[in-house]
Coordinates of all heavy atoms in Angstrom, one line a residue:
G205 N -21.5 4.3 -4.6 CA -20.6 3.3 -4.0 C -19.3 3.0 -4.7 O -19.1 3.4 -5.8
L206 N -18.5 2.3 -4.0 CA -17.2 1.9 -4.6 C -17.4 0.6 -5.3 O -18.0 -0.3 -4.9 CB -16.2 1.8 -3.5 CG -15.8 3.0 -2.7 CD1 -14.9 2.7 -1.5 CD2 -15.1 4.0 -3.5
P207 N -16.6 0.5 -6.5 CA -16.6 -0.9 -7.2 C -16.0 -1.9 -6.2 O -15.1 -1.5 -5.4 CB -15.7 -0.6 -8.3 CG -15.6 0.8 -8.5 CD -15.8 1.5 -7.2
P208 N -16.4 -3.0 -6.1 CA -17.6 -3.7 -6.9 C -18.9 -3.5 -6.3 O -19.8 -4.3 -6.7 CB -17.1 -5.1 -7.1 CG -16.5 -5.3 -5.7 CD -15.8 -4.1 -5.3
L209 N -19.1 -2.6 -5.4 CA -20.3 -2.6 -4.6 C -21.2 -1.4 -5.1 O -22.1 -1.0 -4.3 CB -20.0 -2.4 -3.1 CG -19.2 -3.5 -2.5 CD1 -18.9 -3.2 -1.1 CD2 -19.9 -4.9 -2.6
M210 N -21.0 -0.9 -6.3 CA -21.8 0.2 -6.8 C -23.1 -0.5 -7.6 O -23.1 -1.5 -8.0 CB -21.0 1.0 -7.6 CG -20.4 0.4 -8.8 SD -19.3 1.5 -9.7 CE -20.3 2.1 -10.9
H211 N -24.1 0.4 -7.6 CA -25.3 0.1 -8.3 C -25.7 1.2 -9.3 O -25.4 2.3 -8.9 CB -26.5 -0.1 -7.3 CG -26.1 -1.1 -6.2 ND1 -25.7 -0.7 -5.0 CD2 -26.4 -2.4 -6.1 CE1 -25.5 -1.8 -4.3 NE2 -25.9 -2.8 -4.9
I212 N -26.2 0.9 -10.3 CA -26.6 1.9 -11.3 C -27.6 2.9 -10.6 O -27.6 4.1 -11.1 CB -27.3 1.2 -12.5 CG1 -27.3 2.3 -13.7 CG2 -28.6 0.7 -12.3 CD1 -26.0 2.5 -14.4
D213 N -28.4 2.5 -9.6 CA -29.4 3.4 -9.0 C -28.9 3.9 -7.6 O -29.7 4.2 -6.8 CB -30.7 2.7 -8.9 CG -30.7 1.5 -8.0 OD1 -29.6 1.0 -7.7 OD2 -31.7 1.1 -7.5
D214 N -27.6 4.0 -7.4 CA -27.1 4.6 -6.1 C -27.7 5.9 -5.8 O -28.0 6.1 -4.6 CB -25.5 4.6 -6.1 CG -24.9 3.3 -5.8 OD1 -25.6 2.3 -5.2 OD2 -23.7 3.0 -6.0
P215 N -27.7 6.9 -6.8 CA -28.3 8.1 -6.3 C -29.8 8.0 -5.8 O -30.2 8.7 -4.8 CB -28.3 8.9 -7.6 CG -27.1 8.4 -8.4 CD -27.2 6.9 -8.1
T216 N -30.6 7.2 -6.5 CA -31.9 6.9 -6.0 C -32.0 6.3 -4.7 O -32.8 6.6 -3.9 CB -32.8 6.0 -7.1 OG1 -32.6 6.7 -8.3 CG2 -34.1 5.8 -6.7
R217 N -31.2 5.4 -4.5 CA -31.0 4.7 -3.1 C -30.7 5.7 -2.1 O -31.2 5.7 -0.9 CB -30.0 3.5 -3.2 CG -30.4 2.4 -4.0 CD -29.2 1.4 -4.0 NE -29.6 0.3 -4.9 CZ -29.3 -1.0 -4.6 NH1 -28.8 -1.2 -3.4 NH2 -29.7 -2.0 -5.3
A218 N -29.8 6.6 -2.4 CA -29.4 7.6 -1.4 C -30.5 8.5 -1.0 O -30.8 8.9 0.1 CB -28.2 8.4 -1.9
I219 N -31.3 8.9 -2.1 CA -32.4 9.9 -1.9 C -33.5 9.1 -1.1 O -34.0 9.7 -0.1 CB -33.0 10.3 -3.2 CG1 -31.9 11.2 -3.9 CG2 -34.2 11.1 -3.0 CD1 -32.2 11.5 -5.4
R220 N -33.7 7.9 -1.4 CA -34.8 7.2 -0.7 C -34.4 7.0 0.8 O -35.2 7.1 1.7 CB -35.0 5.8 -1.3 CG -35.9 5.8 -2.5 CD -36.2 4.5 -3.1 NE -36.8 4.5 -4.3 CZ -36.8 3.6 -5.2 NH1 -36.2 2.5 -5.1 NH2 -37.5 3.8 -6.3
A221 N -33.1 6.7 1.1 CA -32.6 6.5 2.5 C -32.7 7.9 3.2 O -33.1 7.8 4.4 CB -31.1 6.1 2.4
C222 N -32.5 9.0 2.5 CA -32.7 10.3 3.2 C -34.1 10.5 3.6 O -34.4 10.9 4.7 CB -32.2 11.4 2.3 SG -30.4 11.5 2.2
F223 N -35.1 10.2 2.7 CA -36.5 10.4 3.0 C -36.9 9.4 4.1 O -37.7 9.8 5.0 CB -37.4 10.2 1.7 CG -37.4 11.5 0.9 CD1 -36.9 11.4 -0.4 CD2 -37.9 12.6 1.4 CE1 -36.9 12.6 -1.2 CE2 -38.0 13.8 0.6 CZ -37.5 13.7 -0.7
D224 N -36.4 8.1 4.1 CA -36.7 7.3 5.2 C -36.2 7.8 6.5 O -36.9 7.7 7.5 CB -36.1 5.9 4.9 CG -36.8 5.1 3.8 OD1 -37.8 5.5 3.4 OD2 -36.2 4.1 3.3
M225 N -34.9 8.3 6.5 CA -34.4 8.8 7.8 C -35.2 10.1 8.3 O -35.4 10.3 9.4 CB -33.0 9.2 7.6 CG -32.1 8.0 7.4 SD -30.3 8.4 7.4 CE -30.1 8.9 5.7
A226 N -35.6 11.0 7.3 CA -36.3 12.1 7.7 C -37.7 11.8 8.3 O -38.1 12.4 9.3 CB -36.6 13.0 6.4
N227 N -38.4 10.8 7.6 CA -39.6 10.4 8.2 C -39.5 9.7 9.6 O -40.2 10.0 10.4 CB -40.4 9.4 7.2 CG -40.8 10.0 6.0 OD1 -41.1 11.2 6.0 ND2 -40.9 9.3 4.8
F228 N -38.4 8.9 9.7 CA -38.2 8.3 11.1 C -37.9 9.4 12.1 O -38.4 9.4 13.2 CB -37.0 7.3 11.0 CG -36.7 6.6 12.3 CD1 -37.6 5.6 12.8 CD2 -35.6 7.0 13.0 CE1 -37.3 5.0 13.9 CE2 -35.3 6.4 14.2 CZ -36.2 5.4 14.7
L229 N -37.0 10.3 11.8 CA -36.7 11.4 12.7 C -38.0 12.2 13.1 O -38.2 12.5 14.2 CB -35.7 12.3 12.2 CG -34.3 11.7 12.1 CD1 -33.3 12.6 11.3 CD2 -33.7 11.5 13.4
K230 N -38.9 12.5 12.1 CA -40.1 13.3 12.3 C -40.9 12.5 13.2 O -41.6 13.1 14.1 CB -40.7 13.6 10.9 CG -41.9 14.5 11.1 CD -42.4 14.8 9.7 CE -43.6 15.8 9.8 NZ -44.1 16.1 8.5
S231 N -41.1 11.2 13.0 CA -41.9 10.4 13.9 C -41.5 10.3 15.4 O -42.2 10.1 16.3 CB -42.0 8.9 13.4 OG -40.8 8.2 13.6
M232 N -40.2 10.6 15.5 CA -39.7 10.7 16.9 C -39.6 12.1 17.4 O -39.1 12.3 18.6 CB -38.2 10.1 17.0 CG -38.2 8.6 16.6 SD -36.5 8.0 16.7 CE -36.1 8.2 18.4
G233 N -40.2 13.1 16.7 CA -40.2 14.4 17.1 C -38.8 15.1 17.1 O -38.5 16.1 17.7
L234 N -37.9 14.5 16.2 CA -36.6 15.0 16.0 C -36.6 15.7 14.6 O -37.5 15.5 13.8 CB -35.5 14.0 16.0 CG -35.5 13.3 17.4 CD1 -34.5 12.1 17.3 CD2 -35.1 14.3 18.5
V235 N -35.5 16.5 14.3 CA -35.3 17.1 13.0 C -34.1 16.8 12.3 O -33.1 16.6 13.0 CB -35.4 18.7 13.2 CG1 -35.1 19.4 11.9 CG2 -36.7 19.2 13.8
G236 N -34.2 16.6 11.1 CA -32.9 16.2 10.3 C -32.9 17.1 9.0 O -33.9 17.6 8.6
H237 N -31.7 17.3 8.5 CA -31.6 18.1 7.2 C -30.6 17.2 6.3 O -29.6 16.7 6.8 CB -30.9 19.4 7.5 CG -31.6 20.2 8.5 ND1 -32.6 21.2 8.1 CD2 -31.7 20.2 9.8 CE1 -33.0 21.8 9.2 NE2 -32.5 21.1 10.3
F238 N -31.0 17.1 5.0 CA -30.2 16.2 4.2 C -29.8 16.9 2.9 O -30.6 17.6 2.3 CB -31.1 15.0 3.9 CG -31.5 14.2 5.2 CD1 -32.7 14.5 5.8 CD2 -30.7 13.1 5.6 CE1 -33.1 13.9 7.0 CE2 -31.1 12.5 6.8 CZ -32.2 12.9 7.5
G239 N -28.7 16.6 2.4 CA -28.2 17.1 1.1 C -27.5 15.9 0.3 O -26.6 15.2 0.9
V240 N -27.9 15.8 -0.9 CA -27.3 14.6 -1.7 C -26.7 15.1 -2.9 O -27.4 16.0 -3.7 CB -28.5 13.6 -2.0 CG1 -27.9 12.5 -2.9 CG2 -29.2 13.0 -0.8
T241 N -25.5 14.8 -3.2 CA -24.8 15.1 -4.5 C -24.2 13.9 -5.1 O -24.1 12.9 -4.5 CB -23.7 16.2 -4.1 OG1 -22.8 15.5 -3.1 CG2 -24.2 17.5 -3.6
T242 N -23.8 14.1 -6.4 CA -23.2 12.9 -7.1 C -21.9 13.5 -7.7 O -21.9 14.6 -8.2 CB -24.1 12.4 -8.2 OG1 -25.3 12.0 -7.6 CG2 -23.5 11.3 -9.0
G243 N -20.9 12.7 -7.5 CA -19.5 13.1 -8.1 C -18.4 12.4 -7.6 O -18.5 11.4 -6.7
R244 N -17.2 12.7 -8.0 CA -16.0 12.0 -7.5 C -15.5 12.6 -6.2 O -15.5 13.8 -6.1 CB -15.0 12.1 -8.6 CG -15.4 11.4 -9.9 CD -14.3 11.4 -11.0 NE -13.1 10.6 -10.6 CZ -13.0 9.3 -10.7 NH1 -14.0 8.6 -11.2 NH2 -11.8 8.7 -10.4
V245 N -15.2 11.7 -5.3 CA -14.6 12.1 -4.0 C -13.4 11.3 -3.7 O -13.3 10.3 -4.3 CB -15.7 12.0 -2.9 CG1 -16.9 12.9 -3.2 CG2 -16.1 10.6 -2.8
F246 N -12.6 11.8 -2.7 CA -11.6 11.0 -2.2 C -12.2 10.4 -0.9 O -12.7 11.0 0.0 CB -10.3 11.8 -1.8 CG -9.4 11.1 -0.9 CD1 -8.6 10.1 -1.5 CD2 -9.4 11.2 0.5 CE1 -7.6 9.4 -0.6 CE2 -8.6 10.5 1.2 CZ -7.7 9.6 0.7
C247 N -12.1 9.1 -0.7 CA -12.4 8.4 0.6 C -11.3 7.5 1.0 O -10.7 6.8 0.1 CB -13.7 7.7 0.5 SG -13.8 6.3 -0.6
G248 N -10.8 7.6 2.2 CA -9.8 6.8 2.7 C -9.2 7.3 4.0 O -9.8 8.2 4.6
I249 N -8.1 6.7 4.4 CA -7.5 7.1 5.7 C -6.5 8.2 5.4 O -5.7 8.3 4.6 CB -6.7 5.8 6.2 CG1 -7.6 4.7 6.5 CG2 -6.0 6.2 7.4 CD1 -7.0 3.4 6.8
V250 N -6.7 9.3 6.3 CA -5.8 10.4 6.3 C -5.2 10.6 7.7 O -5.9 10.1 8.7 CB -6.5 11.7 5.9 CG1 -7.0 11.6 4.5 CG2 -7.7 12.1 6.8
G251 N -4.1 11.2 7.7 CA -3.5 11.5 9.1 C -2.1 10.9 9.1 O -1.5 10.4 8.1
S252 N -1.6 10.8 10.3 CA -0.3 10.3 10.6 C -0.4 8.9 11.4 O -1.5 8.5 11.7 CB 0.5 11.2 11.4 OG -0.1 11.5 12.7
D253 N 0.7 8.4 11.7 CA 0.8 7.1 12.6 C 0.1 7.4 13.9 O -0.4 6.5 14.6 CB 2.2 6.6 12.7 CG 2.7 6.0 11.5 OD1 2.0 5.7 10.6 OD2 4.0 5.9 11.3
R254 N 0.2 8.6 14.4 CA -0.2 8.9 15.7 C -1.8 9.2 15.7 O -2.4 8.8 16.7 CB 0.4 10.3 16.1 CG 0.4 10.5 17.6 CD 1.4 11.4 18.0 NE 1.4 11.4 19.5 CZ 1.6 12.4 20.1 NH1 2.1 13.6 19.6 NH2 1.6 12.4 21.5
R255 N -2.4 9.8 14.7 CA -3.7 10.0 14.6 C -4.2 9.8 13.2 O -3.8 10.5 12.3 CB -4.2 11.3 15.1 CG -5.7 11.5 15.0 CD -6.1 12.8 15.7 NE -7.5 12.9 15.4 CZ -8.2 14.0 15.3 NH1 -7.5 15.1 15.3 NH2 -9.5 14.1 15.0
R256 N -5.1 8.9 13.0 CA -5.6 8.6 11.6 C -7.2 8.6 11.7 O -7.7 8.3 12.7 CB -5.2 7.3 11.1 CG -3.8 7.2 10.8 CD -3.4 5.8 10.2 NE -1.9 5.8 10.0 CZ -1.4 4.8 9.5 NH1 -2.1 3.8 9.0 NH2 -0.1 4.9 9.3
E257 N -7.8 9.0 10.6 CA -9.2 8.9 10.5 C -9.6 8.5 9.1 O -8.9 8.8 8.1 CB -10.0 10.1 10.9 CG -9.3 11.4 10.8 CD -10.1 12.5 11.4 OE1 -11.3 12.4 11.7 OE2 -9.6 13.7 11.4
Y258 N -10.7 7.8 8.9 CA -11.4 7.5 7.7 C -12.2 8.7 7.3 O -13.1 9.1 8.1 CB -12.1 6.2 7.7 CG -12.6 5.7 6.4 CD1 -11.8 5.1 5.5 CD2 -13.9 6.1 6.0 CE1 -12.2 4.7 4.2 CE2 -14.3 5.7 4.7 CZ -13.6 5.1 3.9 OH -14.0 4.6 2.6
T259 N -12.1 9.2 6.1 CA -12.9 10.4 5.8 C -13.2 10.4 4.3 O -12.7 9.6 3.5 CB -12.1 11.7 6.1 OG1 -13.0 12.8 6.0 CG2 -10.9 11.8 5.3
V260 N -14.1 11.3 4.0 CA -14.4 11.5 2.5 C -14.3 13.1 2.3 O -14.7 13.9 3.1 CB -15.9 11.2 2.2 CG1 -16.3 11.4 0.8 CG2 -16.2 9.7 2.7
M261 N -13.5 13.4 1.2 CA -13.2 14.8 0.9 C -13.5 15.1 -0.5 O -13.3 14.2 -1.4 CB -11.7 15.1 1.3 CG -11.4 14.9 2.6 SD -9.6 15.4 3.1 CE -8.7 14.3 2.1
G262 N -13.7 16.4 -0.9 CA -13.8 16.9 -2.2 C -14.9 17.9 -2.4 O -15.8 18.1 -1.4
D263 N -15.0 18.4 -3.5 CA -16.0 19.5 -3.8 C -17.4 18.9 -3.7 O -18.4 19.6 -3.2 CB -15.8 20.1 -5.2 CG -14.6 20.8 -5.3 OD1 -14.0 21.3 -4.3 OD2 -14.1 21.1 -6.5
T264 N -17.6 17.6 -4.1 CA -18.9 17.1 -4.0 C -19.4 17.0 -2.6 O -20.5 17.1 -2.3 CB -18.9 15.6 -4.7 OG1 -18.5 15.8 -6.0 CG2 -20.2 14.9 -4.7
V265 N -18.5 16.6 -1.7 CA -18.8 16.5 -0.3 C -19.1 17.8 0.3 O -20.1 18.0 1.0 CB -17.6 15.9 0.6 CG1 -18.0 15.8 2.0 CG2 -17.3 14.5 0.0
N266 N -18.4 18.9 -0.1 CA -18.6 20.2 0.4 C -20.0 20.7 -0.1 O -20.7 21.4 0.7 CB -17.5 21.2 -0.1 CG -16.2 20.8 0.5 OD1 -16.1 20.1 1.5 ND2 -15.1 21.2 -0.1
L267 N -20.3 20.5 -1.3 CA -21.6 20.9 -1.8 C -22.7 20.2 -1.1 O -23.7 20.8 -0.8 CB -21.7 20.6 -3.4 CG -23.1 20.9 -4.0 CD1 -23.5 22.4 -3.8 CD2 -23.1 20.6 -5.5
S268 N -22.6 18.9 -0.8 CA -23.6 18.2 0.0 C -23.8 18.8 1.3 O -24.9 18.9 1.8 CB -23.1 16.7 0.1 OG -24.2 16.0 0.7
A269 N -22.7 19.2 2.0 CA -22.8 19.8 3.3 C -23.5 21.1 3.2 O -24.4 21.5 4.0 CB -21.4 20.0 3.9
R270 N -23.2 21.9 2.1 CA -24.0 23.2 1.9 C -25.5 23.0 1.6 O -26.2 23.7 2.2 CB -23.3 23.9 0.8 CG -22.0 24.6 1.1 CD -21.5 25.5 0.0 NE -20.1 25.9 0.4 CZ -19.1 25.4 -0.3 NH1 -19.2 24.5 -1.3 NH2 -17.8 25.8 0.0
L271 N -25.8 22.0 0.9 CA -27.2 21.7 0.6 C -27.9 21.3 2.0 O -29.0 21.7 2.2 CB -27.3 20.5 -0.4 CG -26.9 21.0 -1.9 CD1 -27.1 19.7 -2.8 CD2 -27.9 22.0 -2.4
M272 N -27.2 20.4 2.7 CA -27.8 20.0 4.0 C -28.0 21.2 4.9 O -29.1 21.3 5.6 CB -26.8 19.0 4.7 CG -27.3 18.5 6.0 SD -26.1 17.5 6.8 CE -24.8 18.7 7.4
A273 N -27.1 22.1 4.9 CA -27.3 23.3 5.7 C -28.4 24.2 5.3 O -29.1 24.8 6.1 CB -26.0 24.1 5.8
K274 N -28.7 24.2 4.1 CA -29.9 25.0 3.6 C -31.2 24.3 3.5 O -32.3 24.9 3.3 CB -29.6 25.5 2.1 CG -28.4 26.5 2.0 CD -28.8 27.7 2.5 CE -27.6 28.7 2.4 NZ -27.9 30.0 2.9
A275 N -31.2 22.9 3.7 CA -32.4 22.2 3.6 C -33.4 22.6 4.7 O -33.0 22.6 5.8 CB -32.1 20.7 3.6
P276 N -34.7 22.7 4.4 CA -35.7 22.9 5.5 C -35.7 21.6 6.4 O -35.2 20.6 6.0 CB -37.0 23.1 4.7 CG -36.5 23.5 3.3 CD -35.3 22.9 3.1
A277 N -36.4 21.7 7.6 CA -36.4 20.7 8.5 C -37.0 19.4 7.8 O -38.1 19.4 7.1 CB -37.2 21.0 9.6
N278 N -36.4 18.2 8.1 CA -36.9 16.9 7.6 C -37.1 16.9 6.1 O -38.1 16.4 5.6 CB -38.2 16.6 8.3 CG -37.8 16.2 9.8 OD1 -36.8 15.7 10.1 ND2 -38.7 16.7 10.6
S279 N -36.2 17.6 5.3 CA -36.3 17.5 3.8 C -35.0 17.2 3.2 O -34.0 17.2 3.9 CB -36.9 18.8 3.3 OG -36.0 19.9 3.6
V280 N -34.9 17.1 1.9 CA -33.7 16.6 1.2 C -33.6 17.7 0.0 O -34.4 17.8 -0.7 CB -33.9 15.2 0.7 CG1 -32.6 14.7 0.0 CG2 -34.3 14.2 1.7
L281 N -32.3 18.2 0.0 CA -32.0 19.0 -1.2 C -31.0 18.2 -2.0 O -30.1 17.5 -1.5 CB -31.3 20.3 -0.8 CG -32.3 21.3 -0.2 CD1 -31.5 22.6 0.1 CD2 -33.4 21.6 -1.0
I282 N -31.2 18.2 -3.4 CA -30.4 17.3 -4.3 C -29.8 18.2 -5.4 O -30.5 19.1 -5.9 CB -31.4 16.3 -5.0 CG1 -32.2 15.5 -3.9 CG2 -30.7 15.4 -5.9 CD1 -33.4 14.8 -4.3
D283 N -28.6 17.9 -5.7 CA -27.9 18.7 -6.7 C -28.4 18.3 -8.2 O -29.0 17.2 -8.3 CB -26.4 18.6 -6.6 CG -25.8 17.3 -7.1 OD1 -26.5 16.3 -7.1 OD2 -24.6 17.3 -7.3
Q284 N -28.1 19.1 -9.1 CA -28.5 18.8 -10.5 C -28.0 17.5 -11.0 O -28.5 16.7 -11.8 CB -28.3 20.0 -11.5 CG -28.9 19.9 -12.7 CD -28.9 21.2 -13.5 OE1 -28.5 22.2 -13.0 NE2 -29.5 21.1 -14.7
A285 N -26.8 17.2 -10.7 CA -26.1 16.0 -11.2 C -26.8 14.7 -10.7 O -26.8 13.7 -11.3 CB -24.6 15.9 -10.7
T286 N -27.4 14.8 -9.5 CA -28.1 13.7 -8.9 C -29.4 13.6 -9.5 O -30.0 12.5 -9.8 CB -28.2 13.8 -7.4 OG1 -26.9 13.9 -6.9 CG2 -28.9 12.6 -6.8
H287 N -30.1 14.7 -9.7 CA -31.5 14.8 -10.2 C -31.5 14.3 -11.6 O -32.3 13.5 -12.0 CB -32.0 16.2 -10.2 CG -33.4 16.4 -10.6 ND1 -33.9 16.6 -11.8 CD2 -34.5 16.2 -9.9 CE1 -35.1 16.7 -11.9 NE2 -35.6 16.4 -10.7

């Protein structure tokens, strides 16, 4: 999380949230894939006056996306920094 809203156990909270979502999706007959990483990222508004979006970018985000893509159905893959 971002200061002042961060918690010492943010990685644990993220992992628990993923398992909760996976279980919920499974109960509905749906499938989810989750990847959790820990590290520094850029988050903020990017773009021009004509088109802007709020986004998160960085190597940590890219790794999370790769883990998510490799995760089996309704499971969570976690990087070593988070573990």
